[in-house]
Amino acid sequence: MVIQQFFIPGIAHSSYLVGTAGTCAVIDPARDIDRYLDAAADLGFTITHVLETHLHADFVSGHMDLAEKTGARIYAPESGSCAFPHEPVADGTRFSVGDIRFDVLDTPGHTPDGVTYVATDLSRGDEPVAVFPGDTLFVGDVGRPDLFPGQARDLAAHLYESLHDKILALPDHCMVFPAHGAGSLCGRAMGSMRSTTIGYERRYNAALTIADREEFVRSLTTGMPPAPDHFSRCSEINRRGPPLVRTLPAIRPMKPAEFRDRAGKGDAVVLSVNDYAAFGGQHVPGSYHIDLAGNFSTFAGWVLPPEREVLIVAGSWAEAEAAVVMLRRVGLDRAVGYLDGGVHAWVTAGYPAAHVPQLSPAETHAMITGGRAVLVDVRAPEEYEEDHVEGAVNIMVTDLRERSAGLDPARPLVVMCRTGHRSSLGCSILRQKGFVEVYNAAGGTTGYRAAGYA
């Protein structure tokens, strides 16, 4: 029995190839499927099954692409009411992939349709050896139940039953391979390990140590981080069956004049993916800025309007292509072009550029000392509560779209996050809102603390 994990940073998504005897299944695949095709070829396996644990909210799944490419059958939760051809599975469903027997458990809670796949390697014995719970159980955490309006308490109660009555009934030695890890917003406080065991989680997972059902429900329905805008969109895309990647438009190079004209029609947005220092130096006016080195997919899905085309400004063709892959992961399928030659070509053509000054920690301290500027901390509320600069105004970066009206456009604004990535996105949003004197605190609270100003 072979289990190979594939981890995508940023969205912290884990998917798996599980196989034996020349055949394999892929569980919760990403949309860029070449990784699975290459791995299966290297192992001498044929992909015959694609298994979905639930309708994923934080990314668009690759089940349709993988099934078309390989002829594999898709297995998906019966309660998900999926609109694409598939084999519906529910409590008690059993099927085999080579020498591996999969038993299905209904495990709603994170979503109403969640299932868990329990794997038994029949070539070794008749006890379960691995479990793939999707987003029901994580390392050190459990799935959040608050993604469906008005259903949080009911789903939290279902989650309690799914965990205690079903998953924890598995033997302690059973390996656990969750669909997400630390950094994902599908839970609250996941651990950094990529896998675990039932016994380890039984002993050390704080949520599982809550024996009282009502207390468990209460703990999972308070203090959850906000859910990104694309979560509800992705769930529905996955239920319908995502468009095949091969049918999506390819980005093409655009000379500055064409890029400017296309951006000016009002049905497209300009997205700069350069690092924040380059964006600050000069950028196409009105651009969004999401640094490729940050949590790109999550924030792109959160703030970019899905109904509009995306025009990319990058340092190279390779960066633009990487951005397209990451946009498609969150259902943003309308990236159509990139600025050929980048910002250098733009200004060489004589077009105006905008700027966001980048402040060192010392410059940030000088600006905010004595009230010369307003410090806007764009981290999540729980980050702010843990540690912040005195006098800072906390508005989460994604909330600047609606809450910027509470800031004084006549005063200088210094925008700060943990390192400078989210704050640069915040600066780009504020510039779109008409704020003129906006500064990015390069290095964020990390640099500010290291300089001795905390």
Side-chain angles (χ1 to χ4, degrees):
M1 180 177 183
V2 174
I3 300 175
Q4 184 166 334
Q5 183 182 57
F6 306 85
F7 185 78
I8 297 176
I11 60 174
H13 164 221
S14 287
S15 53
Y16 303 90
L17 182 152
V18 186
T20 182
T23 187
C24 67
V26 176
I27 302 177
D28 292 332
R31 205 174 186 187
D32 34 322
I33 64 170
D34 284 350
R35 67 191 70 214
Y36 312 114
L37 301 176
D38 292 343
D42 288 344
L43 293 164
F45 286 164
T46 299
I47 298 173
T48 56
H49 296 66
V50 179
L51 313 183
E52 293 286 1
T53 57
H54 63 292
L55 297 176
H56 300 280
D58 66 314
F59 70 93
V60 173
S61 174
H63 54 283
M64 299 293 290
D65 294 273
L66 203 51
E68 187 205 40
K69 192 75 173 179
T70 66
R73 182 72 171 163
I74 301 170
Y75 290 68
E78 183 177 53
S79 56
S81 302
C82 297
F84 51 85
H86 68 285
E87 185 74 32
V89 299
D91 226 27
T93 299
R94 173 178 285 185
F95 57 92
S96 295
V97 178
D99 293 329
I100 304 168
R101 185 183 70 211
F102 283 98
D103 290 282
V104 179
L105 307 175
D106 276 333
T107 50
H110 172 63
T111 63
D113 62 300
V115 299
T116 291
Y117 296 95
V118 181
T120 301
D121 182 359
L122 296 176
S123 70
R124 303 292 298 275
D126 59 1
E127 281 194 314
V129 295
V131 58
F132 300 88
D135 288 357
T136 301
L137 175 63
F138 300 122
V139 177
D141 200 3
V142 298
R144 61 188 297 176
D146 63 325
L147 300 182
F148 293 80
Q151 299 184 49
R153 285 192 58 82
D154 287 344
L155 284 175
H158 288 313
L159 184 61
Y160 180 91
E161 295 164 359
S162 296
L163 291 164
H164 288 270
D165 297 346
K166 294 184 176 181
I167 291 181
L168 289 182
L170 295 168
D172 280 354
H173 67 256
C174 194
M175 298 177 288
V176 179
F177 296 99
H180 287 94
S184 168
L185 289 173
C186 291
R188 178 163 49 195
M190 300 177 205
S192 297
M193 294 192 304
R194 302 280 173 82
S195 63
T196 183
T197 65
I198 292 293
Y200 190 88
E201 294 308 305
R202 192 193 310 277
R203 183 167 182 177
Y204 295 112
N205 188 313
L208 296 184
T209 63
I210 302 175
D212 181 76
R213 174 173 164 159
E214 183 56 35
E215 184 183 349
F216 178 90
V217 170
R218 188 163 50 248
S219 74
L220 289 180
T221 51
T222 56
M224 280 292 174
D229 291 7
H230 63 282
F231 272 26
S232 58
R233 293 200 308 270
C234 287
S235 291
E236 180 57 19
I237 291 170
N238 286 323
R239 188 194 69 79
R240 293 196 310 263
L244 297 171
V245 169
R246 65 172 176 78
T247 68
L248 301 178
I251 58 167
R252 61 182 184 84
M254 294 181 176
K255 296 299 183 184
E258 182 187 4
F259 193 92
R260 182 189 62 171
D261 292 346
R262 189 69 195 82
K265 290 183 178 179
D267 60 348
V269 296
V270 177
L271 172 63
S272 174
V273 302
N274 298 316
D275 66 69
Y276 63 72
F279 177 81
Q282 54 187 9
H283 58 267
V284 176
S287 301
Y288 285 94
H289 178 241
I290 307 176
D291 196 323
L292 276 178
N295 194 349
F296 182 87
S297 292
T298 295
F299 285 105
W302 208 330
V303 304
L304 297 182
E307 72 281 0
R308 296 172 71 179
E309 292 183 339
V310 179
L311 305 175
I312 297 173
V313 182
S316 66
W317 163 258
E319 287 186 356
E321 281 280 274
V324 170
V325 170
M326 288 190 266
L327 290 171
R328 289 174 177 170
R329 285 176 183 159
V330 288
L332 296 172
D333 291 346
R334 303 189 66 195
V336 296
Y338 76 99
L339 179 58
D340 191 14
V343 178
H344 175 73
W346 178 267
V347 294
T348 302
Y351 300 141
H355 314 275
V356 174
Q358 306 291 304
L359 303 182
S360 69
E363 291 169 322
T364 296
H365 187 66
M367 279 286 291
I368 64 177
T369 300
R372 291 172 52 198
V374 176
L375 179 62
V376 183
D377 188 324
V378 296
R379 296 174 299 161
E382 58 269 21
E383 295 176 272
Y384 177 82
E385 290 167 7
E386 183 177 318
D387 178 25
H388 63 266
V389 179
E390 186 176 356
V393 177
N394 182 219
I395 304 177
M396 189 170 168
V397 64
T398 51
D399 292 344
L400 287 173
R401 296 170 296 169
E402 294 83 26
R403 293 179 56 194
S404 63
L407 299 170
D408 185 355
R411 296 197 64 192
L413 301 178
V414 177
V415 188
M416 178 181 279
C417 67
R418 185 172 60 86
T419 59
H421 294 107
R422 283 175 287 175
S423 54
S424 188
L425 167 60
C427 289
S428 71
I429 294 172
L430 289 170
R431 290 300 302 266
Q432 292 174 17
K433 298 290 186 180
F435 292 83
V436 176
E437 197 171 354
V438 179
Y439 302 84
N440 186 38
T445 56
T446 303
Y448 197 78
R449 185 183 303 109
Y453 297 119

